[in-house]
């Protein structure tokens, strides 16, 4: 892969990750205005662990899709 192609893929990934992170932050902050407990404060360590495992699983599946092509 050329260096310019690699840089384009890297920039695209960074922008997509920032966009997705922004959406998650917006969803979390939107729930705080409903008079409920803070949504993020209600999460426990096991919830964060499950989220991390899910993200790693998604990355592995994406890598498998790319290696097939």
């Amino acid at each position: 892969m050329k260096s310019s192609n690699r840089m384009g893929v890297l920039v695209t990934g960074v922008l997509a990750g920032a966009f997705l992170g922004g959406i998650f932050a917006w969803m979390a902050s939107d729930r705080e205005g409903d008079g409920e407990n803070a949504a993020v404060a209600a999460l426990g360590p096991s919830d964060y662990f499950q989220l991390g495992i899910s993200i790693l699983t998604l990355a592995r599946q994406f890598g498998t899709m790319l290696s097939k092509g």
Side-chain angles (χ1 to χ4, degrees), residues 1-16:
M1 182 184 296
K2 291 182 181 179
S3 179
S4 62
N5 286 343
R6 183 178 176 124
M7 186 60 75
V9 169
L10 191 62
V11 168
T12 302
V14 166
L15 292 175

Side-chain angles (χ1 to χ4, degrees), residues 5 7-8 11 20-23 28 33 35-38 40 44 58-59 61 63 68:
N5 286 343
M7 186 60 75
V11 168
L20 190 60
I23 289 174
E36 300 176 8
N37 293 338
V40 176
L58 179 63
Q61 288 176 344
K68 286 182 181 179

Side-chain angles (χ1 to χ4, degrees), residues 36-63:
E36 300 176 8
N37 293 338
V40 176
L43 297 176
S46 64
D47 295 320
Y48 288 111
F49 183 74
Q50 285 179 324
L51 180 61
I53 295 297
S54 298
I55 290 170
L56 290 174
T57 303
L58 179 63
R60 190 173 111 202
Q61 288 176 344
F62 185 67

